[in-house]
Amino acid sequence: MHDDTWLVHAARAHATTEPQRPYGVVNPPVYHASTVLYPTLDAFRRRAEGPAKYHAVRYGAYGVPTTFALADAIAHLEGGRGTVVTSSGLAAVTLALSAVLSRGDHLLMPDTVYGPTRDFCDTVLTRFGIETTYYDPCLGAGVAALMRSNTRVVFTESPGSLTFDVQDIPAIVAVAHARQALVLLDNTWGTPVFFKPFRHGVDLSIQAGTKYIAGHSDLVIGMITARTEALFCQVKDTTMAFGDIPSPDDCYLTLRGLRSLGVRLRHHQASGLRVAQWLQQRPEVKRVLYPPLPADPGHALWQRDFTGACSLFGVVLHTSEEPAVAQMVEGYHYFKIGASWGGYESLVIPAYPAAIRTAVPWTEPGFVLRYHVGLEDPEDLLTDLDEGFQRLQRALAGAPSDREGA
Ligand SMILES: Cc1ncc(COP(=O)(O)O)c(C=O)c1O
């Protein structure tokens, strides 16, 4: 079955097999629950025996049918053995790490990882006796030199946050697996449509479902998908131990988002490419950080491993003058200033990679912006950007400019 067909029909099988299914309604119902009732003392005592521990509806905090419906849909799409749905994308990251790391372990983290993931390593994991080494995301098989006897996890995020460096996932997997380490991937940019993590050997794939999967900027949710049943159980044990669970309503909204994921992503991709190519030609722009562009350093790897691209990318301007950039950005009609991405609307934020990176310091001059291209007509977006550059030029004409390399 092709992904587009799955997206329409996923999580609805139970609707025709469940005898109590209500009224022929096409969508899976939303179950609100804490308590689940049992007919006998024996049934209550045995409620978590065997596979029921992970797969049965037995208490609201461990999942209701709406949660399991979403989990099954994502597991199939990612191509993994099982999925655990979490309360946010960040919770998916931190719970996945918590599921596989123990005191005394060593962890390799790409220098381009999502900022709050880094914060978790530097605070909570450090406190719990787990050491993190940040590595150049472009090392590929070169991570071998950083592996220690206690390296348990090589985390990956490809392309990475803010600068969109593409990682050689198969090469990293080969090195990690040869040393009995696991490979975790934050696959949010790739989405389960454009990057199939388990075909590339990843052990746990993480999604901030908040972004394209839910797609409407109205909720936060996450997913952890496992390559094996054993890893799935390990992750589910951990999320149950922490008591992490998304609300049934958010699971339902995410399922609704799934139906149009393929269609939305194709539009995001086409518009993203159009806008990125246009930006690349602008004299104010030094470079666009977007793997689908042939000039991007990660283009060859992206072309080898991905089947498409979402519409999130970086732009390095020639100028470093923040007040002038503020004139440009604050006047946009459609590119609003705001965190998150993957919703229906265009967004922009300033990115400060130099303030974060340690393994590969970011020294390139020029202000960095992160753009998310939404579902608006790209012609309107180009007009918005063009007017923004006119504001930038006017502001720079009245301010000291930084045009080195222009
Ligand atoms: C790459 C990446 N991973 C994870 C997250 C966290 O997702 P959430 O906002 O659902 O916690 C984000 C959020 O921006 C992200 O960009």
Side-chain angles (χ1 to χ4, degrees):
M1 191 191 299
H2 293 91
D3 279 354
D4 273 353
T5 309
W6 176 253
L7 289 168
V8 170
H9 290 276
R12 289 170 47 198
H14 78 285
T16 45
T17 53
E18 260 185 39
Q20 70 275 32
R21 177 186 179 237
Y23 314 116
V25 171
V26 76
N27 285 303
V30 185
Y31 290 87
H32 292 99
S34 53
T35 302
V36 174
L37 300 177
Y38 294 84
T40 63
L41 293 182
D42 189 54
F44 183 76
R45 190 169 48 80
R46 292 164 166 275
R47 71 195 183 286
E49 276 181 3
K53 180 176 183 193
Y54 303 104
H55 302 287
V57 177
R58 56 193 181 85
Y59 184 62
Y62 306 143
V64 293
T66 325
T67 330
F68 291 122
L70 174 59
D72 291 349
I74 297 292
H76 179 96
L77 205 56
E78 290 256 60
R81 186 70 185 77
T83 295
V84 181
V85 189
T86 61
S87 57
S88 70
L90 182 58
V93 170
T94 60
L95 289 164
L97 287 168
S98 303
V100 295
L101 287 166
S102 304
R103 171 179 294 277
D105 284 347
H106 175 241
L107 159 71
L108 286 176
M109 263 290 158
D111 210 20
T112 42
V113 78
Y114 172 58
T117 298
R118 197 177 181 113
D119 294 340
F120 178 73
C121 297
D122 295 345
T123 57
V124 179
L125 290 187
T126 302
R127 205 150 39 75
F128 289 176
I130 295 154
E131 193 186 343
T132 304
T133 300
Y134 292 97
Y135 68 92
D136 176 349
C138 301
L139 272 184
V143 293
L146 300 174
M147 300 282 292
R148 302 180 192 167
S149 57
N150 62 338
T151 306
R152 177 81 181 118
V153 167
V154 182
F155 196 94
T156 57
E157 183 185 312
S158 181
S161 286
L162 305 183
T163 50
F164 303 93
D165 312 61
V166 182
Q167 299 200 255
D168 191 339
I169 300 295
I172 291 172
V173 164
V175 167
H177 285 180
R179 311 281 189 97
Q180 281 74 53
L182 298 170
V183 176
L184 274 55
L185 168 69
D186 185 329
N187 193 28
T188 306
W189 191 97
T191 78
V193 173
F194 290 149
F195 188 85
K196 299 291 184 187
F198 302 100
R199 287 187 199 155
H200 299 280
V202 165
D203 297 293
L204 291 179
S205 176
I206 294 153
Q207 288 289 340
T210 310
K211 316 300 180 197
Y212 290 100
I213 295 176
H216 292 76
S217 311
D218 52 1
L219 61 90
V220 285
I221 201 162
M223 296 103 187
I224 307 165
T225 303
R227 186 167 58 81
T228 63
E229 178 75 11
L231 273 171
F232 163 76
C233 294
Q234 206 172 323
V235 169
K236 182 90 184 179
D237 278 333
T238 305
T239 59
M240 289 192 292
F242 276 91
D244 183 85
I245 192 79
S247 79
D249 289 313
D250 285 349
C251 291
Y252 177 80
L253 287 172
T254 305
L255 276 169
R256 191 159 76 169
L258 262 191
R259 308 300 176 205
S260 59
L261 179 64
V263 180
R264 283 187 286 112
L265 276 174
R266 281 195 289 279
H267 190 94
H268 280 294
Q269 172 169 242
S271 296
L273 201 56
R274 174 104 208 278
V275 171
Q277 283 166 340
W278 182 90
L279 284 165
Q280 218 179 9
Q281 308 303 322
R282 291 293 307 202
E284 300 86 351
V285 171
K286 188 190 287 175
R287 61 189 184 111
V288 180
L289 312 171
Y290 192 37
L293 297 175
D296 188 274
H299 182 70
L301 280 179
W302 172 80
Q303 209 166 28
R304 187 192 70 185
D305 293 344
F306 289 73
T307 56
C310 73
S311 59
L312 186 79
F313 54 77
V315 169
V316 185
L317 298 173
H318 283 295
T319 185
S320 302
E321 297 291 330
E322 181 150 350
V325 176
Q327 296 269 319
M328 172 176 89
V329 167
E330 290 168 10
Y332 284 146
H333 290 293
Y334 304 122
F335 285 93
K336 294 299 180 191
I337 305 166
S340 205
W341 43 284
Y344 52 84
E345 82 286 27
S346 291
L347 292 169
V348 63
I349 53 166
Y352 302 101
I356 301 170
R357 306 284 162 82
T358 52
V360 194
W362 180 266
T363 54
E364 186 169 333
F367 202 92
V368 185
L369 291 164
R370 189 192 74 178
Y371 285 91
H372 174 252
V373 176
L375 298 176
E376 301 93 337
D377 190 308
E379 293 308 318
D380 291 330
L381 297 179
L382 296 184
T383 304
D384 200 22
L385 292 169
D386 186 54
E387 289 169 3
F389 283 128
Q390 290 171 32
R391 285 191 298 280
L392 179 70
Q393 283 163 9
R394 281 196 299 275
L396 286 174
S401 71
D402 176 11
R403 299 277 301 167
E404 67 272 11

